[in-house]
Amino acid sequence: EVQLVESGGGLVQPGGSLRLSCAASGFTFTNDWMSWVRQAPGKGLEWVANIKPDGSEKYYVDSVKGRFTISRDNAKNSLYLQMNSLRADDTAVYYCARGGTTASYWGQGTLVTVSS
Amino acid sequence: QSALTQPASVSGSPGQSITISCTGTSSDVGGYKYVSWYQQHPGKAPKLMIYDVSNRPSGVSNRFSGSKSGNTASLTISGLQAEDEADYYCSSYRGSSTLGVFGTGTKVTVL
């Protein structure tokens, strides 16, 4: 059974940092692109970043370029999102998803709230 | 990176069929056969319902079907059931070296 479990969300002040983690199991992690997708409260879905299986290619939505970094540790079957210089409009539930173009499986999400 | 355009809401009675449209451009929906559809119930994670325009993942009811014509993709739900009441999002590939794009989302109400 495919499982994706996110952690690391919480309340952070504007300008602060957070690191999200996603533990993957039930599939061959090293074969798949992985993504982060977010959903602001009451809003729609937005692709945030994705990463190639070997980590050699990474893509970001314009609004997070230079502030967020996606990475993975294939030895640990884990995906990460380092978020720096956080802003109020980064407040959202962040989902880890299997796939780079089609998100075939999703985690339960972790809430990031940016507020003073 | 503008979102794909979906109707804000669609409704139907149990047993009826409804269709949700997803309009993009030749740079996304019209240019590739990589359109997917997701169902999201309140407070839950999205679930993949259709991929590559018209393919259903294992376990998804055959009441859900997808198609595409030009720059517009569509999701049809036939034999509407109460459990189909949810938000639905389309997504499209936009080429290499860039992220995909989601639609604006459609709330489906079963009357």
Side-chain angles (χ1 to χ4, degrees), chain A residues 37 39 43-50 59-62 95 101-104 106-108, chain B residues 1 34 36 38 40 44-48 51-52 89 91 93 97-102 104:
Chain A
V37 177
Q39 186 171 35
K43 303 297 184 181
L45 300 171
E46 180 180 46
W47 296 98
V48 175
N50 64 20
Y59 301 103
Y60 301 90
V61 66
D62 285 348
Y95 294 101
T101 297
T102 298
S104 56
W106 300 64
Q108 83 286 353
Chain B
Q1 293 169 326
Y34 301 121
S36 50
Y38 304 87
Q40 186 180 35
K44 301 294 187 183
K47 174 187 176 184
L48 177 66
Y51 67 96
D52 295 353
Y89 295 90
S91 179
Y93 180 68
S97 305
T98 188
L99 294 179
V101 59
F102 282 105
T104 50

Side-chain angles (χ1 to χ4, degrees), chain B residues 15-88:
Chain B
Q16 287 187 330
S17 293
I18 62 170
T19 297
I20 303 168
S21 61
C22 169
T23 301
T25 69
S26 58
S27 296
D28 38 61
V29 174
Y32 307 95
K33 51 181 181 179
Y34 301 121
V35 176
S36 50
W37 289 90
Y38 304 87
Q39 176 191 64
Q40 186 180 35
H41 287 109
K44 301 294 187 183
K47 174 187 176 184
L48 177 66
M49 304 302 284
I50 295 288
Y51 67 96
D52 295 353
V53 175
S54 60
N55 293 299
R56 272 188 313 275
S58 175
V60 171
S61 171
N62 59 9
R63 298 186 298 103
F64 292 83
S65 61
S67 62
K68 189 185 80 161
S69 177
N71 296 338
T72 298
S74 299
L75 174 71
T76 297
I77 309 175
S78 59
L80 199 61
Q81 298 180 0
E83 67 205 49
D84 300 331
E85 189 162 289
D87 293 327
Y88 291 82

